[in-house]
Amino acid sequence: MPEETVSAVLEREHRDIDGAIEVFLQKLDAGTVQPEPLTAALAALRRHIYIEEVFVFPPVREAGLVMPIFVMLREHGDLWQTMDALTELLTVGSDTAGLRETCRRLLAQLDQHNAKEEPIIYPQAATALPAHTAAELLRFVDTGRTPDGWVCQRAAGLSQPSD
């Protein structure tokens, strides 16, 4: 069986993350606050953003897609803020309406983000990523962990004026 492409792996992660958030919402709608699916989805999304910002975006930007990468980074910052809000809501634990609303906002953000990323960025990654970087990315997907304390580029600068 041929090795999965970077695009296929990253798109699968999109579906898995969305699915875990939807499972959390289903349980919430059934009256149960089980944070595990959501905390797993948030960890997976943070790791996914790390993979994109560290492995995918630099060579794609160097290949000429400067503005699309700028948009993706800005959206990562927005996603990160929503994830932080969800983490805070989970800590409080009693605001099910807030959890529901914020999960739906995250899903809408992901839908818009992925609809641009998958057809624009990922096909470019297939040609822009050097073979050794693609191999390293695929290994990281299997075994890697996001470094402790890592935040996406735009989350690190959220208090700074926008460009």
Side-chain angles (χ1 to χ4, degrees):
M1 180 169 132
E3 189 173 296
E4 276 190 292
T5 66
V6 166
S7 294
V9 167
L10 296 175
E11 287 177 25
R12 185 184 67 239
E13 285 195 350
H14 284 174
R15 290 187 307 276
D16 292 347
I17 291 163
D18 291 350
I21 297 167
E22 289 164 359
V23 165
F24 174 79
L25 279 172
Q26 289 168 356
K27 291 180 186 290
L28 195 62
D29 288 342
T32 306
V33 179
Q34 289 185 333
E36 293 80 16
L38 184 57
T39 56
L42 296 178
L45 181 53
R46 290 180 194 281
R47 182 175 176 270
H48 181 83
I49 289 172
Y50 173 82
I51 289 169
E52 290 176 346
E53 292 194 9
V54 170
F55 295 100
V56 178
F57 291 177
V60 171
R61 181 187 303 116
E62 287 176 22
L65 266 69
V66 174
M67 283 310 296
I69 295 299
F70 177 82
V71 170
M72 295 294 102
L73 291 171
R74 175 165 270 166
E75 290 179 2
H76 281 179
D78 294 340
L79 291 164
W80 207 272
Q81 281 185 302
T82 304
M83 289 188 289
D84 285 347
L86 280 168
T87 300
E88 180 65 29
L89 285 165
L90 284 171
T91 302
V92 174
S94 60
D95 185 2
T96 57
L99 279 167
R100 186 177 292 106
E101 176 187 328
T102 309
C103 279
R104 288 187 178 136
R105 178 172 15 127
L106 182 59
L107 284 171
Q109 288 173 312
L110 288 169
D111 185 54
Q112 291 179 359
H113 180 76
N114 297 347
K116 292 178 274 205
E117 191 169 62
E118 290 176 6
I120 297 168
I121 304 300
Y122 291 174
Q124 287 297 315
T127 57
L129 262 69
H132 70 279
T133 302
E136 185 180 351
L137 182 156
L138 292 171
R139 274 192 306 278
F140 186 88
V141 166
D142 287 338
T143 61
R145 284 181 9 106
T146 305
D148 291 338
W150 185 87
V151 297
C152 72
Q153 289 180 30
R154 290 299 174 146
L158 286 175
S159 61
Q160 300 172 356
S162 60
D163 310 33

